[in-house]
């Protein structure tokens, strides 16, 4: 039996696909900004002289990196309400993405910070700069320039991994695909289209991050 393709069956659901894609993009952008900030703070905490802070940051990284993202998502959405913390599906999805990205970004940034020569740090201190100023201007920016490609890859991975948030009924792109398929029963057409959309989003994000990187680190 020959399967007949009917992509026109998707035309009536374009608004659903657009809304799903927009939510995926919005969550990814928000998670990227906050997750990177957590990564920088986490990297600083991993190098802290305060033992408790250092151990807490290490425990956070190990916990997140060694547990599935889906389990983290379920814990936030289904587990936290038991403690009185109730979140909507979108809020839980965003929090899970931020927490997950923050842990991976912490290790990536820490690797970049570790690649900075101690001589540069000592030179900054010898010029009278505070440790905070040395970290921000002498260590952090050169470190970010070195690990920027790895960071951008992680950002894209988080976007692609966000497809599981449909499991808690967050109305992202994958949720839209499931919704449409349940209505028109055209599985091949629906998931082929969604695959193409994810591909376009991934390539688009990489292009945008590349442009941002060239502007931010233009002099390096």
């Amino acid at each position: 039996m020959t399967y007949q393709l009917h992509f026109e069956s998707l035309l009536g659901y374009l608004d659903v696909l657009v809304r799903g894609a927009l939510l995926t993009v919005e969550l990814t952008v928000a998670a990227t900004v906050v997750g990177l900030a957590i990564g920088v703070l986490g990297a600083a905490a991993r190098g802290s002289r305060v033992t408790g802070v250092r151990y807490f940051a290490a425990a956070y990284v190990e916990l997140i990196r060694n547990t599935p993202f889906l389990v983290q998502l379920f814990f936030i959405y289904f587990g936290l309400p038991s403690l009185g913390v109730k979140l909507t599906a979108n809020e839980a999805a965003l929090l899970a993405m931020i927490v997950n990205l923050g842990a991976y970004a912490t290790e990536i940034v820490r690797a970049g910070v570790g690649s900075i020569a101690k001589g540069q740090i000592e030179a900054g201190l010898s010029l009278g700069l505070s440790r905070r100023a040395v970290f921000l201007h002498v260590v952090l920016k050169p470190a970010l320039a070195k690990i920027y490609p790895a960071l951008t890859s992680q950002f894209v991975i988080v976007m692609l991994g966000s497809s599981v948030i449909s499991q808690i009924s967050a109305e992202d792109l994958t949720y839209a695909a499931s919704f449409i398929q349940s209505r028109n029963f055209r599985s091949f057409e629906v998931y082929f289209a969604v695959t193409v959309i994810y591909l376009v989003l991934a390539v688009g994000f990489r292009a945008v991050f590349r442009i941002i990187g060239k502007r931010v680190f233009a002099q390096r």
Side-chain angles (χ1 to χ4, degrees):
M1 183 175 69
T2 303
Y3 183 79
Q4 299 294 322
L5 297 176
H6 292 285
F7 284 100
E8 69 276 5
S9 64
L10 301 179
L11 295 178
Y13 299 98
L14 289 180
D15 59 328
V16 178
L17 286 172
V18 170
R19 286 199 302 271
L22 286 177
L23 179 60
T24 295
V25 171
E26 290 169 1
L27 291 176
T28 301
V29 171
T32 294
V33 174
V34 182
L36 177 58
I38 291 176
V40 172
L41 293 175
R46 291 295 306 264
S48 173
R49 295 182 175 182
V50 181
T51 303
V53 172
R54 191 168 64 250
Y55 283 173
F56 177 81
Y60 159 62
V61 170
E62 291 304 315
L63 173 64
I64 300 302
R65 292 180 69 200
N66 291 291
T67 55
F69 175 64
L70 184 59
V71 172
Q72 297 163 19
L73 178 67
F74 282 175
F75 176 79
I76 291 173
Y77 188 65
F78 296 114
L80 291 185
S82 299
L83 302 178
V85 181
K86 296 182 180 180
L87 301 172
T88 65
N90 289 353
E91 291 170 344
L94 177 58
L95 180 57
M97 291 169 67
I98 289 172
V99 170
N100 186 271
L101 176 57
Y104 284 91
T106 292
E107 285 303 278
I108 295 173
V109 174
R110 187 167 76 100
V113 169
S115 70
I116 303 301
K118 291 185 178 179
Q120 291 182 247
I121 300 175
E122 293 171 354
L125 292 173
S126 67
L127 291 175
L129 296 176
S130 65
R131 288 190 173 276
R132 178 175 177 274
V134 168
F135 178 76
L136 291 176
H137 303 293
V138 179
V139 176
L140 186 59
K141 188 172 182 179
L144 289 177
K146 290 184 177 182
I147 49 88
Y148 188 72
L151 275 177
T152 57
S153 292
Q154 191 61 45
F155 297 155
V156 173
I157 288 173
V158 167
M159 185 275 291
L160 296 175
S162 71
S163 60
V164 303
I165 67 175
S166 61
Q167 297 297 310
I168 60 171
S169 298
E171 298 180 3
D172 72 324
L173 186 55
T174 301
Y175 179 94
S178 298
F179 174 82
I180 297 170
Q181 189 275 332
S182 70
R183 296 300 189 276
N184 66 7
F185 304 104
R186 309 298 299 186
S187 300
F188 180 88
E189 291 89 333
V190 171
Y191 288 106
F192 180 85
V194 169
T195 298
V196 172
I197 295 173
Y198 271 117
L199 175 61
V200 171
L201 290 178
V203 173
F205 269 117
R206 289 185 187 279
V208 171
F209 290 140
R210 192 178 303 115
I211 293 171
I212 293 174
K214 287 181 179 180
R215 292 191 177 185
V216 174
F217 306 114
Q219 297 180 347
R220 298 206 60 83

